[in-house]
């Protein structure tokens, strides 16, 4: 009999539809009896749907962003020095 720990181990394959017939039966039997695991699988499915709806944009280039921020900070410091000398 499948236990909660075993269901968690199979959860990724369950969501991906990669369980064997025997595993599917064991998972369904466990889910029929265990409220917590049903809730767990429901949350995983919701998370999976949300993640699939995210745009396929890449994260901004952090190195370029850091250089731009440093350049802006340096320009601000130079402006402050110029104003102090006047």
């Amino acid at each position: 009999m499948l236990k909660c720990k075993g269901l968690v181990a199979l959860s990724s394959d369950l969501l991906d539809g990669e369980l064997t017939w025997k595993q599917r039966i064991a998972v369904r039997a466990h889910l029929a009896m265990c409220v917590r695991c049903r809730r767990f699988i429901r949350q995983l499915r919701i998370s999976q749907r949300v993640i699939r709806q995210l745009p396929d944009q890449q994260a901004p280039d952090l190195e370029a962003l850091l250089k731009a921020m440093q350049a802006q900070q340096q320009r601000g410091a130079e402006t402050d020095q110029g104003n102090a000398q006047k």
Side-chain angles (χ1 to χ4, degrees), residues 25-78:
I25 297 296
V27 166
R28 285 182 184 219
H30 182 81
L31 290 176
M33 297 183 306
C34 183
V35 172
R36 290 182 186 160
C37 286
R38 280 196 307 265
R39 194 175 307 141
F40 171 70
I41 294 299
R42 189 177 322 126
Q43 288 297 317
L44 283 180
R45 286 190 169 130
I46 290 169
S47 298
Q48 188 182 42
R49 268 187 258 136
V50 169
I51 290 170
R52 285 183 177 161
Q53 291 177 353
L54 292 175
D56 288 336
Q57 295 175 346
Q58 291 184 343
D61 184 7
L62 295 179
E63 188 72 29
L65 183 61
L66 181 61
K67 285 181 182 176
M69 290 173 65
Q70 287 173 337
Q72 186 176 13
Q73 188 177 22
Q74 190 172 10
R75 281 193 301 269
E78 289 171 359

